[in-house]
Amino acid sequence: MAKMTVARAMVEVLKSEGVEIIFGIPGAAIYPFYDALYSSDIKHVLVRTEQAAVHEASGYARTTGKVGVCVATSGPGATNLITGIATAYMDSVPIVAITGQVNSSLIGKDVFQEVDITGATAPFTKHNYLVKDPKKIVRILKEAFYIASTGRRGPVLIDVPIDVQMQEIEFEIPKEIDIPGYKPKEKGHPLQIKRAVEAIESSKRPVVCSGGGVIASGASQELQILIEKQKIPVISTLMGIGSIPTDHPYYLGMIGSHGQKEANLALRQADLLIVIGARLADRALGDTKITDNMKIIHIDIDPAEIGKNVDTNVPIVGDAKQVLSEINKRISERKDFWAHEIKAQKKVLPDDDKLHPYDVLREISRAYNGDYIITTDVGQHQIWAAHNLYIKEPGTFITSGGLGTMGYGVPAAIGAKFGRPDKEVIAITGDGSFQMLLQELATIKREQVPIKVVLFNNTRLGMVYELQKKRCTGRFIATCLDGNPDFMILAKAYGIESMRLESKEKLKEAIEIMKSHKGPFLLEVVTSPDEPTIP
């Protein structure tokens, strides 16, 4: 066994896990790790704030299927990770976050840049570790990658005191990981699968609700086989967009308070709801009530999610891909698609001389034919994107669904581009969200990341402004962003090409200019503050 410092051992384990890139900012409590990283071939992306490091690791993880890795120092560096970690937890994204910590002998004494980050992140990490014994670092890192990437995926945090990083250990990587009490169940129970098949075949108006778990498990093909054999309409949560192509004849759209009318209508008329990889939280259900006349099959790899928000008749704990494969082996074929009338009610959007967000998004879909990865921020533009973009492949619509984190879109796009350099990556954002983490323009410039940013500028926190308009009789407070910068001058300051779009006549030309530009590009779309989320 070779002897080496804990810091170097950490880098060697990252290499053994196939890590090629990490996102972070160095600091005093994590400098031994960075010094060890200097001699490795792992690429480090220097972000401008630690929250962006998690979002970039998230975008990388969601486009590659690998574990994303981010690094920060102790104290404020670590606490700046928190929103990003919670975002990853809510959306089941595999992340390993490494933080430096003050000297072991000083923990609990409120010294400079000390914070209890393991305590702070306990509610929204799958697991976390404070490394006190240097000899355990290799096993802990191996466990962290295993936990983050198995079962219901999610973030794991490892906090390493600076004195531990500098100690020397005998280095040996264990061949197997065995964690007592952690045995993710992927195979569905045969009896429950049999009950599910019987329920589907005996139903008259079945509906599938597809969530992010379908994409995470790679079950899109199995889902498509099921719905085409049984001719079942599909609705999705926000996280489930892209689980089947959005132009599939059986896809009715996103459900919920900001969902599409036909999707919500199908949900209300169904006598059987097959929920796959979704928790059906408040925003997904909106004002739709699950009646006693509707049976529910709920498939999820996390048993804690089944029955959390709706009562379930047939619970199936297991991986969506595996469970759907078993159902498809036993299911018969149905002759008729029952939701033709609902599908025919699809709303026709106004076609006038004004430049609407849906015009822009549909032109982007047409110009790229769905050959892109889309990331979004959170606000009106997120819903506009969810309703109007053509999503052709699973895992190409990346958004903050559970926590609804403003500022997610641009850094997620950076991570996505590092993960999939072969794909066009477009971040859809609004002026409110964009300004949450706009300093990442420096990361784009420094790393020459050729992403495109489409910024809808309505000089408002649009979602809340619309809420105040409807429910507060126009008593607008704290939603006007009159102090916005000139975004074109801002982009120029970072050396990024940009263009402002103000009229419908210039729409096609603007999208073509953006598409043909080889480097990073910002397209600002001037938008009316009164443009509704759902026309």
Side-chain angles (χ1 to χ4, degrees):
M1 291 186 288
K3 281 192 172 184
M4 62 181 70
T5 64
V6 165
R8 185 180 159 198
M10 291 166 69
V11 173
E12 291 300 319
V13 177
L14 292 179
K15 288 164 61 178
S16 76
E17 290 292 332
V19 175
E20 298 173 339
I21 185 170
I22 62 178
F23 306 88
I25 301 180
I30 193 70
Y31 91 83
F33 171 78
Y34 269 85
D35 188 50
L37 193 64
Y38 180 85
S39 303
S40 81
D41 55 2
I42 296 175
K43 180 177 177 57
H44 178 270
V45 176
L46 176 63
V47 299
R48 292 300 188 266
T49 181
E50 290 83 355
Q51 183 180 331
V54 195
H55 294 333
E56 288 173 29
S58 171
Y60 178 84
R62 292 174 71 171
T63 50
T64 61
K66 300 177 182 177
V67 175
V69 181
C70 57
V71 183
T73 191
S74 63
T79 55
N80 281 347
L81 294 175
I82 284 179
T83 298
I85 291 173
T87 303
Y89 181 77
M90 292 290 280
D91 291 341
S92 307
V93 182
I95 299 284
V96 168
I98 299 171
T99 52
Q101 183 55 278
V102 301
N103 196 298
S104 302
S105 63
L106 300 177
I107 291 176
K109 297 181 185 295
D110 292 339
V111 297
F112 179 68
Q113 291 195 333
E114 184 202 356
V115 73
D116 176 11
I117 193 62
T118 52
T121 57
F124 41 81
T125 48
K126 280 192 76 175
H127 196 60
N128 62 31
Y129 301 87
L130 171 58
V131 184
K132 296 179 179 177
D133 183 351
K135 296 175 185 174
K136 294 182 178 178
I137 187 65
V138 174
R139 177 181 60 76
I140 285 173
L141 267 166
K142 295 289 288 185
E143 286 182 0
F145 276 86
Y146 180 68
I147 292 170
S149 61
T150 54
R152 179 182 175 181
R153 300 172 184 178
V156 178
L157 182 138
I158 305 171
D159 196 30
V160 192
I162 185 172
D163 58 310
V164 172
Q165 294 173 50
M166 292 188 288
Q167 292 190 42
E168 201 167 68
I169 59 171
E170 300 277 356
F171 178 74
E172 183 177 24
I173 296 179
K175 294 180 180 176
E176 295 182 358
I177 295 296
D178 182 23
I179 307 172
Y182 180 73
K183 308 291 179 191
K185 184 178 179 182
E186 296 191 351
K187 191 175 180 181
H189 194 284
L191 180 59
Q192 294 300 84
I193 289 173
K194 179 173 180 288
R195 289 181 63 201
V197 170
E198 291 171 352
I200 294 169
E201 291 180 336
S202 63
S203 67
K204 298 192 181 306
R205 298 181 305 280
V207 168
V208 164
C209 177
S210 179
V214 173
I215 296 170
S217 73
S220 295
Q221 185 178 358
E222 287 74 14
L223 172 62
Q224 204 156 318
I225 290 171
L226 172 64
I227 63 163
E228 291 176 358
K229 284 181 80 172
Q230 273 285 309
K231 296 181 174 50
I232 304 174
V234 180
I235 56 181
S236 78
T237 62
L238 183 62
M239 290 294 292
I241 290 176
S243 53
I244 67 168
T246 53
D247 65 345
H248 192 284
Y250 295 167
Y251 182 66
L252 300 179
M254 184 179 76
I255 56 168
S257 54
H258 295 89
Q260 278 138 311
K261 179 183 174 183
E262 51 269 36
N264 286 328
L265 196 56
L267 178 60
R268 291 181 187 126
Q269 294 186 11
D271 64 354
L272 175 69
L273 178 62
I274 308 160
V275 184
I276 310 172
R279 70 173 73 92
L280 286 186
D282 56 336
R283 207 185 195 202
L285 282 177
D287 59 1
T288 300
K289 304 296 181 188
I290 302 297
T291 67
D292 294 337
N293 297 325
M294 184 192 298
K295 288 185 178 179
I296 295 180
I297 299 169
H298 196 161
I299 302 166
D300 203 295
I301 199 163
D302 185 352
E305 294 297 346
I306 296 178
K308 177 188 280 185
N309 296 310
V310 294
D311 293 334
T312 301
N313 303 93
V314 185
I316 305 178
V317 178
D319 176 72
K321 185 179 181 71
Q322 196 279 335
V323 172
L324 288 175
S325 294
E326 291 302 314
I327 289 176
N328 288 340
K329 290 177 186 174
R330 308 177 191 195
I331 202 83
S332 62
E333 294 201 21
R334 189 187 294 257
K335 290 183 179 178
D336 299 316
F337 177 69
W338 69 268
H340 281 300
E341 290 186 9
I342 293 175
K343 182 85 177 176
Q345 295 183 30
K346 192 171 183 63
K347 190 173 183 177
V348 178
L349 295 170
D351 184 13
D352 53 30
D353 294 335
K354 297 178 182 176
L355 178 66
H356 300 284
Y358 53 78
D359 294 322
V360 177
L361 294 161
R362 293 183 176 193
E363 181 58 28
I364 291 172
S365 297
R366 186 203 63 76
Y368 287 86
N369 192 32
D371 293 325
Y372 44 45
I373 292 172
I374 298 292
T375 69
T376 86
D377 260 307
V378 174
Q380 287 181 304
H381 62 275
Q382 182 189 40
I383 306 302
W384 293 331
H387 286 198
N388 294 291
L389 281 171
Y390 170 40
I391 305 300
K392 186 162 61 175
E393 301 172 11
T396 58
F397 184 79
I398 296 173
T399 192
S400 171
L403 200 63
T405 303
M406 295 173 71
Y408 178 79
V410 172
I414 295 171
K417 189 63 181 177
F418 276 115
R420 291 291 307 274
D422 57 312
K423 298 283 279 188
E424 289 281 358
V425 178
I426 305 172
I428 307 295
T429 186
D431 51 322
S433 280
F434 180 69
Q435 292 181 84
M436 293 278 179
L437 285 174
L438 67 81
Q439 63 269 47
E440 284 312 294
L441 292 178
T443 304
I444 294 171
K445 171 65 177 176
R446 183 178 188 273
E447 299 287 344
Q448 284 298 299
V449 190
I451 64 168
K452 307 297 191 294
V453 178
V454 177
L455 192 165
F456 289 99
N457 180 7
N458 60 3
T459 62
R460 299 290 186 280
L461 294 171
M463 193 74 92
V464 186
Y465 177 82
E466 189 174 11
L467 185 71
Q468 292 173 346
K469 187 176 182 180
K470 290 179 180 176
R471 299 189 182 178
C472 303
T473 61
R475 289 157 53 84
F476 301 113
I477 179 170
T479 50
C480 183
L481 299 177
D482 282 346
N484 276 348
D486 184 316
F487 291 109
M488 291 186 65
I489 294 178
L490 183 71
K492 186 177 181 181
Y494 284 99
I496 294 172
E497 292 290 321
S498 66
M499 180 178 179
R500 180 175 293 130
L501 175 63
E502 299 182 75
S503 68
K504 199 168 185 175
E505 294 78 36
K506 297 286 185 181
L507 173 57
K508 286 190 178 183
E509 179 186 350
I511 300 301
E512 285 304 320
I513 290 172
M514 178 179 77
K515 184 183 176 187
S516 61
H517 186 74
K518 298 302 181 186
F521 191 89
L522 186 146
L523 177 64
E524 177 189 358
V525 181
V526 177
T527 307
S528 167
D530 295 317
E531 190 75 43
T533 302
I534 300 176

